[in-house]
């Protein structure tokens, strides 16, 4: 029973069953470190296959010009960065160091929500009350996609995009004032430009099939903004607060300064323009019957938006795009103030070349120029910094990373893609980017929060336990696609058009993931800094393919996209919502920490907000952290990130891992292969089992010889699933399988295959439950497109507590084309009425 199991976990003395599954440590694994109490042994013979996938994506052939470890400094889990990010070397240390810090921001923002939806990128490190399920917020989600498109591991963004288009992020939300009364789903809570971001991502990694597979959802997302389209004006209206902008200059001129009066703005209209153009491009690439005509219609809608925006929002006298109040404004007068959102049309190549004079305001001391800017409204405005220092959040002057990101992306487009003009140049791009980088400091350390003072070196909206590593903007994308001018293309080419200062004598980007290849670009004016010749050189997969003496723009042929699909993995320990199972307990916990935070899907190494378990202050010589799955669960690949604050909580000297066995005792996990063999600070500890174990609970005991405190930032149990299978446990609309204490009910499950596959299903249930198939089940060959329906007779115990959901796990074993062994599963919750 669940209640009995919790009591046993507290005592640290009981156990539930372990059943062996096939699986071996892969060739080349580290020598075995036997768990305490288990017999010593050798690594299995080479050639035996395993359920375990590579810990990180393989970098592949590339160059080795830069000292990566030195550039990363003391970032924990340096191996993750080595496997995922492009490395850069810049003569400007402020921009360079901010670049590596911002990759830490991305890593901290990665949140694993569970096997069903996988990864999302969060905005805040801790949850907020107005977020979508699992903490997603769509306001900056397009920024997240553009920033993370340069990562080698494509699974993060595959899941993140899927969350907003197909998952919980696309699900229904209350239409309330607190959550946007104008919209009814989370993906429309705030203005959003996801189709443009998806195309930008596909142009970078070359995985167009993934993008094309999203077309129906992208069209639906675009169409659901229709209730905010005004047929008479020909534009969309939006409430400023749902542009993620409270208290703007335009808002203060309405009856509701917090929300801002509804208006026709350069935000949503530019987003819808960009998304329409992106959808049209995807339709033409797909090329199905009728796609060309449909693409023409999206292009026509985009042209109409562009025409009406020029007519309604462009102020010819002030040479700027402006907000137009929707209510009590029959003449559709534009407000007098220039707001930073007026630069947005260039982000999507929506603005005509003749409007470039708007950019003179970026460098104007009475416009948007500021030592830590740009400002969010021009200084001429009477609303500039009005009440801005009285508390968060006012977007009428403060320097806002969200808007700075959009402005710099738009400026790079102007300088690279538009005809030459006399208003701004590359020195302005560098100046604004450097000012932006300078904001990324607090107490002399890298930092980013919500908003910065435009004229003083301090963050002004920076709530403790709330704003740390605030992931609401881009920076690295601005370095790569703007400063260094790496312009992804939809075909088999890459365009280079650096915007670096003309006086720079060197820069480099190394092993940038591009279309499945590694791209390295070195500029060395005299040839002495890197020692590989003078001028600009380009390497593809470690082979030089181009050299030129200057920094003039050039387009190079890359060739076909390399195949780099990664295995589909799930973490069975994750419980991001910290409700129900898996359930974490510990023998002792420091009062500011929580056992549940060790399995919350995040791996943070920060003091605030807390996302860890520690036993700091414990009276015990050693403490354990245990997790109850609630239902038998296969374990084969464990990963532990130990927390180390350099003070009272340090990396353990050793640790033990036990599973709960059928005999009611804790047993050492057998056949452990640990990498590293003993824990090292800042390194992810991986434990592969020779033979997988199915158990209902795990226990970790970490020890220091000095007896000091230890901590866990993340504990994970990964499993490689069969991507060809889709599983369901059928439930009513409330998502709960109905059961009756002491009585037998029928539970229906399905398995669908995309290619012919031999499957063997099992329904695993909690302790004291019973589950039998209604008919005998044998391994079954499931043909492509077919579904296997199975009914199970499930009996819950008579003392099953009401209103306490219990997990049921459908587990399916299968083999891949190369004899890989997969264990795929899905969990549903059962509850007595």
């Amino acid at each position: 029973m669940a209640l009995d199991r919790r009591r046993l976990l507290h005592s640290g003395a009981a156990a539930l069953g372990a059943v062996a599954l096939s699986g071996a440590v892969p060739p080349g694994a580290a020598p075995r470190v036997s768990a305490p109490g288990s017999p010593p042994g050798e690594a299995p013979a080479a050639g035996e296959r395993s359920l375990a996938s590579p810990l990180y994506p393989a970098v592949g052939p590339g160059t080795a010009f830069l000292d990566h470890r030195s550039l990363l400094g003391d970032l924990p889990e340096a191996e993750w960065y080595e496997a995922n990010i492009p490395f850069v070397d810049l003569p400007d240390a402020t921009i360079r160091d901010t670049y590596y810090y911002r990759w830490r921001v991305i890593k901290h923002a990665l949140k694993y929500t569970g096997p069903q939806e996988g990864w999302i990128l969060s905005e805040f490190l801790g949850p907020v009350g107005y977020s979508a399920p699992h903490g997603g917020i769509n306001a900056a989600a397009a920024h997240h996609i553009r920033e993370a498109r340069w990562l080698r591991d494509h699974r993060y963004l595959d899941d993140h995009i899927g969350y907003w288009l197909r998952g919980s992020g696309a699900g229904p939300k209350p239409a309330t004032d607190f959550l946007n009364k104008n919209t009814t789903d989370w993906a429309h809570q705030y203005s959003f430009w996801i189709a443009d971001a998806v195309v930008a991502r596909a142009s970078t990694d070359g995985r167009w099939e993934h993008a094309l597979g999203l077309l129906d959802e992208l069209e639906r997302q675009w169409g659901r903004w229709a209730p905010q389209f005004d047929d008479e004006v020909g534009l969309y209206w939006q409430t400023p607060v749902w542009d993620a902008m409270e208290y703007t200059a335009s808002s203060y001129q309405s009856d509701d300064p917090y929300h801002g009066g509804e208006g026709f703005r350069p935000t949503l209209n530019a987003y819808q323009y960009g998304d329409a153009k992106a959808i049209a491009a995807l339709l033409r690439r797909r090329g199905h019957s009728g796609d060309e005509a449909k693409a023409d219609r999206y292009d026509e809608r985009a042209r109409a938006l562009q025409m009406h925006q020029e007519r309604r929002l462009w102020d010819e006298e002030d040479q700027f795009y402006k907000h137009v109040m929707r209510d009590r404004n029959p003449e559709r007068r534009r407000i007098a103030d220039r707001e930073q959102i007026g630069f947005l049309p260039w982000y999507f190549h929506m603005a005509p070349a003749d409007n470039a004079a708007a950019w003179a305001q970026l460098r104007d001391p009475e416009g948007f120029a500021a030592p830590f800017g740009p400002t969010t409204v021009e200084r001429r405005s009477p609303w500039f910094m009005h009440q801005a220092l009285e508390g968060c959040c006012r977007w009428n002057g403060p320097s806002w990373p969200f808007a700075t990101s959009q402005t710099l992306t738009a400026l790079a487009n102007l300088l690279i893609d538009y005809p030459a003009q006399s208003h701004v140049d590359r020195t302005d791009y560098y100046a604004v980017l450097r000012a932006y980088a300078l904001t990324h400091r607090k107490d002399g350390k890298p930092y980013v929060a919500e908003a910065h003072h435009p004229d003083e070196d301090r963050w002004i909206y920076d709530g403790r336990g709330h704003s740390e590593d605030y992931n609401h903007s881009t920076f690295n994308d601005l370095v790569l696609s703007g400063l260094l001018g790496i312009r992804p293309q939809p075909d088999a080419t890459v365009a280079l058009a650096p915007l670096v200062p003309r006086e720079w004598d060197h820069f480099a980007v190394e092993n940038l993931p591009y279309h499945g290849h590694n791209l390295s670009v070195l500029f060395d004016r005299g040839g002495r800094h890197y020692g590989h010749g003078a001028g600009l050189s380009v390497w593809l997969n470690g082979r030089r393919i181009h050299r030129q003496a200057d920094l003039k723009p050039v387009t190079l042929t890359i060739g076909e996209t390399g195949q780099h699909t990664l295995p589909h993995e799930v973490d069975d320990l994750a419980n991001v919502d910290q409700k129900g199972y898996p359930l974490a307990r510990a023998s002792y916990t420091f009062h500011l920490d929580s056992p549940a935070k060790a399995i919350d899907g995040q791996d943070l190494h920060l003091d605030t907000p807390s996302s860890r378990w520690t036993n700091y202050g414990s009276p015990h010589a050693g403490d354990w952290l245990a997790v109850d799955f609630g239902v038998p669960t296969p374990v084969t690949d464990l990963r532990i990130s130990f927390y180390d604050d350099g003070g009272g909580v340090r990396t353990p000297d050793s640790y033990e891992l036990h599973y709960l066995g059928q005999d009611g005792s804790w047993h050492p996990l057998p056949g452990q292969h640990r990498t590293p063999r003993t824990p090292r600070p800042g390194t992810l500890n991986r434990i592969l089992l020779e033979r997988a174990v199915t158990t209902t609970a795990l226990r970790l005991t970490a020890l220091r010889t000095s007896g000091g405190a230890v901590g866990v930032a993340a504990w994970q149990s990964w499993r490689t699933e069969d991507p060809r299978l889709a599983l369901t446990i059928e439930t009513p609309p409330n998502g709960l399988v109905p059961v009756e204490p002491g009585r037998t009910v029928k539970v229906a499950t399905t398995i669908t295959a995309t290619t012919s596959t031999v499957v063997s299903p099992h329904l695993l249930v909690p302790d004291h439950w019973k589950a039998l198939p209604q008919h005998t089940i044998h391994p079954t060959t499931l043909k492509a497109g077919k579904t296997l329906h199975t009914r199970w007779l499930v009996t819950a115990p008579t003392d099953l507590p009401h209103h306490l959901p219990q997990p049921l796990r459908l587990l399916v074993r299968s083999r891949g084309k190369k004899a890989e062994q997969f264990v795929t599963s899905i969990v549903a919750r059962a509850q007595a009425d």
Side-chain angles (χ1 to χ4, degrees), residues 638-830:
L638 296 172
R639 304 173 195 178
I640 305 169
S641 176
F642 289 110
Y643 179 78
D644 189 326
D645 64 7
V649 182
R650 303 306 303 268
T651 303
D653 298 301
S654 64
Y655 61 93
E656 300 174 355
L657 287 165
H658 294 77
Y659 70 92
L660 208 52
Q662 285 180 322
D663 61 355
S665 301
W666 290 102
H667 297 272
L669 275 174
Q672 299 177 38
H673 294 257
R674 297 182 176 182
T675 307
R677 297 187 65 171
T678 58
R680 292 198 303 265
T683 299
L684 184 65
N685 295 265
R686 190 184 199 190
I687 305 94
L688 292 178
L689 304 184
E690 287 184 6
R691 297 182 66 82
V693 170
T694 296
T695 182
T696 52
L698 294 172
R699 190 178 72 184
L700 165 67
T701 306
L703 301 168
R704 288 171 58 188
T705 55
S706 64
V710 297
V712 175
W715 188 10
Q716 306 156 353
S717 179
W718 291 95
R719 175 169 45 81
T720 304
E721 294 202 319
D722 194 332
R724 303 167 298 176
L725 301 181
L727 280 53
T728 66
I729 300 176
E730 296 181 6
T731 64
N734 67 0
L736 296 172
V737 177
V739 294
E740 297 183 35
R743 302 187 65 179
T744 299
V745 300
K746 292 181 181 180
V747 176
T749 64
T750 66
I751 308 168
T752 304
T754 57
T755 60
S756 183
T757 311
V758 177
V759 298
S760 179
H762 308 266
L763 187 67
L764 305 181
V765 294
D767 185 35
H768 304 310
W769 290 52
K770 293 181 181 179
L772 296 172
Q774 190 171 10
H775 303 287
T776 302
I777 294 178
H778 301 285
T780 302
T781 299
L782 195 56
K783 295 184 178 180
K786 298 298 183 181
T787 298
L788 174 65
H789 296 268
T790 307
R791 291 187 178 274
W792 307 83
L793 304 177
V794 175
T795 307
T798 56
D799 56 352
L800 178 71
H802 288 261
H803 309 298
L804 182 63
Q806 301 289 305
L808 308 180
R809 181 182 296 277
L810 174 63
L811 184 146
V812 179
R813 297 188 183 94
S814 61
R815 286 183 175 269
K817 294 181 179 179
K818 299 180 181 178
E820 305 99 328
Q821 301 173 71
F822 298 108
V823 177
T824 306
S825 92
I826 189 172
V827 172
R829 296 181 303 159

Side-chain angles (χ1 to χ4, degrees), residues 238-241 245 247-248 250-252 254 256-263:
Q238 181 60 294
T239 309
V241 72
M245 300 178 68
Y247 296 109
T248 67
S250 52
S251 302
Y252 277 115
S254 74
D256 184 356
Y258 171 76
H259 292 86
E262 295 168 355

Side-chain angles (χ1 to χ4, degrees), residues 117 132-133 162-174 183-189 220 224:
E117 296 194 287
Y163 169 86
W164 288 116
L165 292 177
R166 296 170 172 167
S168 298
K173 73 164 182 64
T183 63
T184 57
D185 66 275
W186 292 109
H188 292 81
Q189 181 183 14
R220 182 183 63 200
R224 284 186 175 176

Side-chain angles (χ1 to χ4, degrees), residues 576-595:
V576 65
D577 296 320
Q578 301 174 44
K579 298 177 182 177
Y581 296 98
L583 181 67
R585 292 286 187 267
S587 57
Y588 179 88
T589 301
F590 180 55
H591 69 93
L592 295 179
D593 300 320
S594 166

Side-chain angles (χ1 to χ4, degrees), residues 153-466:
D153 194 328
H154 61 76
R155 292 170 293 193
Y156 299 128
L157 281 188
D158 286 358
D159 289 349
H160 184 56
I161 293 168
Y163 169 86
W164 288 116
L165 292 177
R166 296 170 172 167
S168 298
K173 73 164 182 64
T176 63
D177 181 66
F178 182 62
L179 299 174
N180 190 348
K181 64 182 180 181
N182 302 317
T183 63
T184 57
D185 66 275
W186 292 109
H188 292 81
Q189 181 183 14
Y190 294 94
S191 302
F192 194 8
W193 62 103
I194 190 170
D196 177 83
V198 165
V199 167
R201 190 269 182 118
S203 297
T204 304
D205 69 8
R207 296 172 62 249
W208 287 99
E209 287 304 313
H210 177 265
L212 294 175
L214 301 168
L215 253 172
D216 290 346
E217 289 83 359
L218 291 171
E219 288 195 77
R220 182 183 63 200
Q221 170 74 13
W222 194 91
R224 284 186 175 176
W225 286 111
Q228 291 178 222
F229 185 78
D230 188 305
D231 290 318
E232 179 188 350
V233 177
L235 294 172
Y236 293 88
W237 56 266
Q238 181 60 294
T239 309
V241 72
W242 303 122
D243 274 338
M245 300 178 68
E246 311 93 321
Y247 296 109
T248 67
S250 52
S251 302
Y252 277 115
Q253 298 171 63
S254 74
D255 295 333
D256 184 356
Y258 171 76
H259 292 86
E262 295 168 355
F264 305 102
R265 297 164 57 76
T267 50
L268 185 56
N269 288 290
Y271 300 162
Q272 285 292 88
Y273 172 90
D275 277 7
K277 298 294 287 185
I279 292 170
L282 288 172
L283 286 165
R284 291 193 173 93
R285 177 175 282 270
R286 186 174 67 177
H288 289 179
S289 176
D291 280 355
E292 183 66 33
K294 187 185 285 188
D296 288 343
R297 290 194 291 273
Y298 275 102
D299 278 339
E300 180 54 39
R301 293 165 181 165
R303 281 191 294 270
L305 281 174
Q306 184 181 44
M307 178 187 70
H308 290 295
Q309 178 158 281
E310 291 303 306
R311 177 187 173 194
R312 301 285 190 175
L313 306 188
W314 176 253
D315 188 320
E316 186 64 32
E317 181 178 352
D318 281 353
Q319 293 284 286
F320 215 76
Y321 292 99
K322 294 182 176 180
H323 174 104
V324 173
M325 298 288 188
R326 183 186 183 209
D327 300 324
R328 295 193 297 278
N329 185 21
E331 297 178 3
R332 304 303 182 197
R333 292 190 304 272
R334 306 172 194 91
I335 65 170
D337 317 80
R338 297 182 183 92
E339 297 178 283
Q340 194 179 0
I341 57 174
F343 293 123
L344 264 173
W346 282 270
Y347 185 111
F348 303 96
H349 300 86
M350 184 184 191
D354 291 344
N355 289 0
W359 288 92
Q361 298 301 320
L362 187 67
R363 61 195 303 180
D364 191 325
E366 292 300 312
F368 299 91
F372 299 97
T375 62
T376 38
V377 69
E378 62 180 334
R379 292 180 185 269
R380 299 180 188 88
S381 170
W383 303 106
F384 176 73
M385 296 297 285
H386 175 67
Q387 300 179 333
L389 302 182
E390 297 180 12
C392 189
C393 299
R394 289 162 170 80
W395 309 119
N396 61 335
S399 175
W400 187 28
F402 183 102
T404 300
S405 303
Q406 293 179 324
T407 298
L408 279 165
T409 300
L411 179 56
N413 289 345
L414 174 73
L415 296 174
I416 295 172
D417 302 332
Y418 279 74
Q421 38 72 43
S422 60
H423 306 286
V424 283
D425 59 23
R426 66 174 60 214
T427 62
D428 297 296
Y429 186 90
Y430 174 64
V432 176
L433 180 65
R434 192 169 199 283
Y436 181 30
L438 286 170
T439 66
H440 284 71
R441 299 294 183 273
K442 181 179 179 180
D443 299 329
K445 298 179 181 179
Y447 193 81
V448 62
E450 297 187 59
H452 199 280
H453 198 292
D455 298 312
E456 301 173 12
D457 190 6
R458 62 187 178 100
W459 292 97
I460 55 175
Y461 305 151
D462 181 17
R464 180 172 174 81
H466 180 71

